[in-house]
Structures are given as C-alpha cells and as structure tokens.
C-alpha cells in the first residue's frame, strides 16, 4: 500500500509540473539558503582556525597590567618555565628607537626575544637566536622580512628588528618583562594555565592584574561565536522554508477540492480515513523532499562558487545536508497534515454529490 501511495503521489506531482514547481520553489530557496550559509560559515571557521593555529595551539600569552609593578623579572620567568607541562617561555619587550637600515635612519620597533621564540618561527636567511645569545647578551639582530623605512611603529616581527631579550633589557634600561608567551606540552594547556595563574597571583600578592590568554580558548570562542551565527542565519533562512510550507498547504487544499470525487470513490470502495490521509501526506512530503534535493544541489553550487571567490575551504558536511533535508521533510508533514486531514474527513456521499 505504501508503494502504491508513493506511485500515486508521484503521478499527481508530475501531472501538474508547473504548479508543482512553483509550489516547491519556496522549499528550494530555503534549503539552498541553509546549505549555502552553513557551508560558507564552516569554511570561514576552518580558515580562521587554521590561521589561529599557525600561532601555536599549545601556546598562551600573558600580559602584565599592574601599575605598581611593570612586569616580572627574568628569575620569575625561569620559575614559570619550571612548571610541569611547560615546554618553554618566550618573553617579549618592545621599544621604539632609531635604526640605521639601507643607508637611512628611521624609527623602528626593536623587539627583544629569547631563543624559545624561534622554536615555532622560521628564519629566511641567517639564524635565529641561541641560548648563548640570550645568556651572554650578545649584540646580534635579525631584520624583519618586510622591514623598510616606511614601516614605523609596527608590532609585527616581519617589520621589526629582533634582538636577544637580555640585550634589549640592558639597552632599554629595564629589569622587568610585561609580556611573554608560554609554550606547553600537547594537551597540557589547561593544567599549565591554572598553575601559571596561581603562581602569578602569588607573585602579585593576590592582585588580579594580569591576563592569561590561551589559543585553545580563542579557538573555542571562535567556534562558539560561529555556531551562534550559524543558528541565527539558519533561522532567517528557515523563513523561506516556512513560506514554502504554506505554499504546499495551499496547493494540497486546492488538490483536495479538485479531487473530491476521487476521494469519495475510494472511500466508497473501502478506503479508510487513515489511508486517504496517508496518500495526501505522501504527496506533501514528496513535494517537500523534491524541493529539498533541488535546494541541496543549488545551495552546494552556490556555496562552492562563493567559497572559491572568498578563498576559504569548501566543506559541505553530511550533517548540513541531513539538517536541510530533514527540515524540508518536517515542513511537508506539518503543512500537509491539515489538507490530508480534511481529505480523510470527507464523507463518501457528500464527496460524490459535490463532484
């Protein structure tokens, strides 16, 4: 019986091609919007995560903001580096000073770094800093790849001069460091974060005058924001599906009116109200499902073109397709029930008399 209902639903749909197409158009638009939006957001999220991951997932940044204490000493950094799970600590100190480059003197950023910084950074020409450079306060420097007289007041290491942090402290007459990165062993970020926070709280006499930012936390925040954005955009796109559902309900009500004689004849031959209701529900779901499939194809092609233009990965997840098709089927059931119920409640005599 189910096979027969599917066959009859299909024959009804293809016998009114233009009307069926216009009916499912709202479903197509809604499904395509969901597929395109979720795919694009997924690609943007993956792109952002890859970009953030280049800074090191097992890395956290500490910024000191205490007005009475400008930072931590080298000795305190050594104690932080001794925490279990810490791979290395990379301090950073920055000063604007006059630099003589390519025959010209200009104000540039001079950044003090340790050898640990070059564990995750590459040098195009020459070598990175070594432990000897740091311990002996050697007078060596690395020029950023894009360093030029016009790149003043830049915080990017590609547009700055890098020297050993101990040399920078000596040259700038400083004895504390207000910013440093902590590189952790894989999977130890949370434990290290707690230990670092506790140790710094003790060092600053219980004052919460520092921030510890974990890149894993940053990735989690990005995922959460994008998930909320996805829900918002999908909610907006779902309005088209609701409009399409109303269109399906309208068509099915018209179909019930046009087929009263058929309904009366089937009931007179013994068809139960449940069977009649099932037949019209099958037609409604078939229309929604056809619109869903077409919408998936259209949305996938649209998302592919947009991600190609935007330069982000194209990741059409099966869960996204399942959500879009599931929603379209739900629309067919919900908006097809009223017409199907109306058809099943028709009395055979009244249906044949009004035919």
């Amino acid at each position: 019986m189910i096979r027969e209902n599917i066959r009859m639903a299909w024959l009804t749909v293809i016998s009114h091609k233009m009307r069926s197409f216009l009916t499912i158009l709202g479903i197509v638009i809604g499904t395509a919007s969901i597929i395109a939006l979720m795919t694009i957001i997924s690609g943007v999220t993956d792109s952002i995560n890859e970009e953030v991951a280049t800074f090191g997932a097992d890395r956290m940044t500490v910024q000191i903001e205490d007005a009475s204490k400008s930072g931590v000493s080298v000795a305190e950094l050594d104690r932080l580096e001794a925490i279990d799970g810490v791979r290395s600590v990379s301090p950073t100190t920055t000063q604007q000073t006059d630099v003589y480059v390519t025959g010209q003197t200009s104000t540039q950023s001079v950044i003090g770094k340790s050898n640990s910084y070059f564990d995750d950074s590459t040098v195009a020409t020459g070598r990175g800093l070594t432990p000897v450079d740091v311990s002996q306060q050697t007078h060596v420097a690395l020029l950023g790849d894009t360093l030029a007289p016009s790149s003043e007041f830049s915080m990017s290491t590609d547009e700055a001069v890098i020297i050993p942090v101990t040399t920078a402290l000596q040259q700038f007459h400083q004895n504390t460091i207000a910013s440093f990165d902590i590189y952790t062993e894989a999977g130890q970020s949370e434990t290290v974060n707690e230990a670092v926070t506790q140790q710094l709280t003790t060092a600053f006499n219980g004052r919460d005058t520092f921030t510890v930012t974990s890149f894993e936390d940053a990735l989690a925040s990005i995922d959460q924001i994008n998930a909320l954005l996805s829900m918002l955009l999908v909610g907006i796109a779902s309005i088209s599906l609701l409009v399409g559902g109303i269109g399906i309900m309208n068509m099915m009500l018209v179909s019930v009116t046009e087929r009263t004689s058929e309904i009366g004849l089937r009931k007179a031959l013994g068809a139960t109200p449940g069977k009649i209701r099932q037949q019209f529900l099958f037609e409604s779901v078939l229309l929604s499902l056809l619109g869903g499939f077409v919408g998936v194809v259209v949305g996938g092609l649209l998302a592919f073109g947009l991600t190609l233009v935007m330069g982000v990965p194209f990741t059409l997840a099966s869960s996204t397709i399942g959500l879009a098709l599931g929603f379209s089927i739900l629309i067919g059931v919900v908006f097809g029930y009223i017409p199907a119920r109306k058809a099943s409640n028709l009395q055979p005599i009244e249906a044949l008399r009004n035919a």
Side-chain angles (χ1 to χ4, degrees), residues 206-337:
R207 298 191 304 275
D208 186 15
T209 54
F210 60 89
T211 56
V212 181
T213 304
S214 170
F215 280 87
E216 288 186 351
D217 294 339
L219 289 172
S221 298
I222 292 172
D223 289 339
Q224 185 177 10
I225 292 172
N226 285 323
L228 292 174
L229 182 61
S230 297
M231 292 176 61
L232 175 63
L233 294 177
V234 167
I236 295 174
S238 299
I239 296 175
S240 297
L241 282 176
L242 294 177
V243 173
I246 294 173
I248 288 177
M249 183 171 64
N250 180 64
M251 176 188 169
M252 295 304 299
L253 288 172
V254 172
S255 180
V256 170
T257 302
E258 292 177 344
R259 296 159 62 188
T260 51
S261 59
E262 175 193 334
I263 296 170
L265 181 59
R266 291 192 63 193
K267 281 198 166 186
L269 294 176
T272 63
K275 297 299 182 182
I276 299 296
R277 184 165 54 246
Q278 186 183 81
Q279 177 188 348
F280 281 88
L281 274 176
F282 269 59
E283 291 181 20
S284 176
V285 171
L286 179 60
L287 286 169
S288 296
L289 198 55
L290 286 173
F293 278 120
V294 175
V296 167
V297 175
V298 173
L301 293 174
L302 181 62
F304 178 77
L306 290 175
T307 53
L308 194 63
V309 172
M310 297 169 64
V312 298
F314 173 75
T315 52
L316 180 55
S318 57
S319 58
T320 302
I321 297 176
L323 175 65
L325 291 178
F327 204 174
S328 65
I329 293 174
L330 180 63
I331 289 293
V333 173
V334 171
F335 286 90
Y337 179 77

Side-chain angles (χ1 to χ4, degrees), residues 44-311:
V44 171
T45 301
D46 291 343
S47 180
I48 294 174
N49 287 344
E50 289 177 5
E51 188 70 21
V52 174
T54 59
F55 294 98
D58 299 316
R59 169 186 169 187
M60 59 186 66
T61 298
V62 179
Q63 186 69 42
I64 309 300
E65 302 168 347
D66 194 327
S68 62
K69 187 177 181 180
S70 57
V72 296
S73 64
V74 175
E76 288 173 318
L77 288 180
D78 291 338
R79 286 194 290 271
L80 290 173
E81 194 167 16
I83 294 175
D84 290 339
V86 173
R87 182 157 48 94
S88 61
V89 175
S90 176
T92 299
T93 182
T94 305
Q95 186 78 20
Q96 300 293 329
T97 187
D98 291 336
V99 177
Y100 184 77
V101 181
T102 63
Q104 297 183 13
T105 300
S106 61
T107 302
Q108 301 288 349
S109 296
V110 177
I111 303 178
K113 292 284 189 180
S114 69
N115 56 286
S116 300
Y117 171 76
F118 293 93
D119 291 343
D120 292 325
S121 300
T122 58
V123 177
T125 304
R127 64 172 177 83
L129 299 178
T130 66
V132 174
D133 293 325
V134 177
S135 62
Q136 299 298 322
Q137 301 180 11
T138 59
H139 290 76
V140 295
L142 288 89
L143 299 182
D145 184 57
T146 57
L147 183 64
S150 61
S151 59
E152 297 182 2
F153 305 105
S154 172
M155 292 298 292
S156 170
T157 54
D158 283 337
E159 300 177 352
V161 179
I162 300 177
I163 63 175
V165 64
T166 50
T167 305
L169 292 175
Q170 181 189 48
Q171 294 293 322
F172 302 153
H173 305 290
Q174 299 175 354
N175 54 17
T176 58
I177 297 167
S179 178
F180 53 91
D181 296 325
I182 298 178
Y183 297 91
T184 67
E185 302 291 346
Q188 296 294 315
S189 295
E190 185 175 351
T191 303
V192 171
N193 194 329
E194 294 176 359
V196 168
T197 301
Q198 182 179 2
Q199 188 163 315
L200 288 176
T201 301
T202 302
F204 286 93
N205 299 319
R207 298 191 304 275
D208 186 15
T209 54
F210 60 89
T211 56
V212 181
T213 304
S214 170
F215 280 87
E216 288 186 351
D217 294 339
L219 289 172
S221 298
I222 292 172
D223 289 339
Q224 185 177 10
I225 292 172
N226 285 323
L228 292 174
L229 182 61
S230 297
M231 292 176 61
L232 175 63
L233 294 177
V234 167
I236 295 174
S238 299
I239 296 175
S240 297
L241 282 176
L242 294 177
V243 173
I246 294 173
I248 288 177
M249 183 171 64
N250 180 64
M251 176 188 169
M252 295 304 299
L253 288 172
V254 172
S255 180
V256 170
T257 302
E258 292 177 344
R259 296 159 62 188
T260 51
S261 59
E262 175 193 334
I263 296 170
L265 181 59
R266 291 192 63 193
K267 281 198 166 186
L269 294 176
T272 63
K275 297 299 182 182
I276 299 296
R277 184 165 54 246
Q278 186 183 81
Q279 177 188 348
F280 281 88
L281 274 176
F282 269 59
E283 291 181 20
S284 176
V285 171
L286 179 60
L287 286 169
S288 296
L289 198 55
L290 286 173
F293 278 120
V294 175
V296 167
V297 175
V298 173
L301 293 174
L302 181 62
F304 178 77
L306 290 175
T307 53
L308 194 63
V309 172
M310 297 169 64

